[in-house]
Amino acid sequence: MVREKVRVSTRTLQWKCVESRADSKRLYYGRFILSPLMKGQADTIGIAMRRALLGEIEGTCITRAKFEKIPHEYSSIVGIQESVHEILLNLQEIVLRSHLYGPCDAAICAKGPGYVTAQDIIAPPFVEIIDNTQHIATLTEPIDLCIFLQIERSRGYRTTEKMIIDGSYPIGSVFMPVRNVNHSIHSYGTGNEKQEILFLEIWTNGSLTPKEALHEATRNLIDFFIPFLHTEEENFHLEDNQHRVPLRPSTLSDKFVKITKNEKKIALKSIFIDQSELPPKVYNCLKSNDIYTVLDLLTKSQEDLMQMEHFRIEDVKKILDSLEKNFGVDLPKNKV
């Protein structure tokens, strides 16, 4: 594990890895800071980076498996402890790393008795198996097991809705090397001199280090915005305003108002409590009571919060001040 002291520069924007460790072959952790930022900028960057890290980085998975002479995926094979379905679930967990630009073939050829692990996968040299010890099947008799595999690189996740093709079974695939991301903000200074430090915590499955994931997510975000820099300016201004008719509030339908409320509800569901500038003690206490977003918090009353362990009236006041300051909302005093 590597740790460094956090040093904040007030001159130029800097980022640094302040903690890095490998908990196992399939779990890496990294903690990064970006500073100094003006008030509000840390939230903007933190939310964008979190979404890019979780949804825009490509990963490599086994997407199909073909067994010989197997009628269906819930079949049991003589001499194999697991069913076909259990083997497919084990293949789904195999962590791979590659630079594929399309599907490629691989295979498993093993002879029992013994354990079949990721080490028995015969893959092209440009596909790397991260953890050779991952379990696939247990052969209890001296039989031959042959499984033909298809490996792909993509982003997001894929369900098993695709049909069985030529006897090969689809495998639900999670092409997401980043397992989890947290971002938090530390504010310092007063008045107009108030600045922020953004903390990013990243967990990966071992196919990428947190630092590699951060670089790739940043490049992807930059690629999204480059087209705006090259777009030619278009003139959308009218010569005069005589054709503009302002809408009165009374002309808005009830349906539109309902949609607006729903959109606000969805937005609050996407805002996590670590973005509300709450003290660490209050933040940890809310998390221990399964309150993760602002919408979760709005389902509680002040009375509910006071009944939580280790909660004081001062803590409730800090939450109310934060909700009023950042979102313009309040909590009812008593349970409804």
Side-chain angles (χ1 to χ4, degrees):
M1 184 170 66
V2 179
R3 287 180 179 271
E4 293 185 18
K5 291 184 179 180
V6 179
R7 294 172 184 163
V8 180
S9 169
T10 57
R11 297 178 183 176
T12 57
L13 193 64
Q14 297 180 345
W15 78 274
K16 182 181 292 186
C17 177
V18 293
E19 186 176 351
S20 176
R21 67 173 186 262
D23 293 330
S24 69
K25 289 184 179 179
R26 288 179 281 137
L27 183 59
Y28 284 26
Y29 170 80
R31 191 165 184 250
F32 306 88
I33 64 167
L34 181 67
S35 66
L37 297 164
M38 296 177 64
K39 182 174 174 57
Q41 290 180 340
D43 230 5
T44 301
I45 299 171
I47 293 173
M49 287 304 302
R50 184 177 188 274
R51 293 183 66 89
L53 284 162
L54 291 174
E56 300 300 333
I57 298 180
E58 292 187 341
T60 304
C61 292
I62 299 172
T63 56
R64 282 192 168 273
K66 182 178 181 180
F67 301 78
E68 292 184 341
K69 300 177 182 178
I70 300 298
H72 55 79
E73 68 175 286
Y74 295 100
S75 302
S76 59
I77 309 173
V78 177
I80 301 181
Q81 183 174 306
E82 293 84 1
S83 67
V84 174
H85 180 68
E86 290 172 325
I87 294 175
L88 292 175
L89 291 177
N90 291 337
L91 290 172
Q92 183 179 5
E93 297 297 321
I94 302 297
V95 179
L96 304 172
R97 176 187 175 110
S98 77
H99 296 284
L100 289 174
Y101 292 96
C104 76
D105 295 327
I108 297 174
C109 294
K111 185 175 181 64
Y115 296 104
V116 181
T117 65
Q119 186 175 359
D120 297 301
I121 297 176
I122 304 170
F126 45 81
V127 176
E128 178 187 353
I129 299 169
I130 299 302
D131 186 357
N132 287 328
T133 65
Q134 284 191 266
H135 181 75
I136 296 175
T138 305
L139 307 184
T140 57
E141 297 181 15
I143 64 169
D144 293 324
L145 175 66
C146 291
I147 308 174
F148 301 98
L149 307 174
Q150 178 178 282
I151 298 174
E152 294 183 57
R153 178 180 169 90
S154 186
R155 55 178 285 275
Y157 61 90
R158 184 183 301 169
T159 61
T160 57
E161 294 178 355
K162 289 189 176 181
M163 303 266 306
I164 297 174
I165 302 173
D166 296 329
S168 68
Y169 297 94
I171 298 176
S173 308
V174 181
F175 302 98
M176 297 167 65
V178 176
R179 293 308 189 205
N180 191 23
V181 180
N182 282 338
H183 88 271
S184 56
I185 301 167
H186 172 70
S187 300
Y188 62 97
T190 56
N192 295 331
E193 301 297 323
K194 192 170 185 180
Q195 293 180 316
E196 298 178 338
I197 304 174
L198 171 64
F199 288 85
L200 271 177
E201 293 181 289
I202 304 172
W203 290 262
T204 69
N205 67 356
S207 63
L208 285 178
T209 66
K211 184 176 179 181
E212 289 174 329
L214 187 62
H215 285 176
E216 187 168 339
T218 303
R219 285 195 298 268
N220 289 340
L221 282 176
I222 291 172
D223 290 342
F224 287 143
F225 292 110
I226 283 177
F228 291 107
L229 300 177
H230 300 291
T231 303
E232 295 181 0
E233 285 192 20
E234 297 183 21
N235 184 12
F236 293 104
H237 300 288
L238 295 175
E239 293 182 359
D240 52 53
N241 295 328
Q242 61 181 353
H243 301 295
R244 295 183 180 180
V245 181
L247 290 176
R248 299 178 183 177
S250 60
T251 62
L252 298 176
S253 66
D254 294 337
K255 184 177 180 180
F256 181 82
V257 173
K258 185 177 180 180
I259 292 173
T260 304
K261 289 181 179 179
N262 288 337
E263 288 178 347
K264 183 178 181 181
K265 186 176 181 181
I266 293 171
L268 292 177
K269 188 177 180 180
S270 303
I271 300 175
F272 292 83
I273 56 174
D274 62 352
Q275 303 167 26
S276 304
E277 301 180 4
L278 294 172
K281 174 183 173 295
V282 178
Y283 169 68
N284 292 328
C285 188
L286 291 175
K287 281 184 63 177
S288 65
N289 286 276
D290 298 325
I291 299 174
Y292 301 100
T293 68
V294 174
L295 188 61
D296 294 337
L297 187 56
L298 292 179
T299 62
K300 306 295 182 182
S301 66
Q302 298 179 33
E303 182 183 350
D304 293 329
L305 297 181
M306 287 301 301
Q307 291 177 357
M308 295 180 184
E309 191 176 2
H310 307 305
F311 239 75
R312 302 173 301 175
I313 186 65
E314 294 85 356
D315 300 326
V316 175
K317 187 176 185 306
K318 289 175 182 177
I319 292 174
L320 295 176
D321 291 342
S322 176
L323 290 175
E324 174 63 30
K325 175 184 174 182
N326 296 308
F327 310 106
V329 294
D330 197 4
L331 296 181
K333 290 186 177 181
N334 302 315
K335 297 179 180 179
V336 179

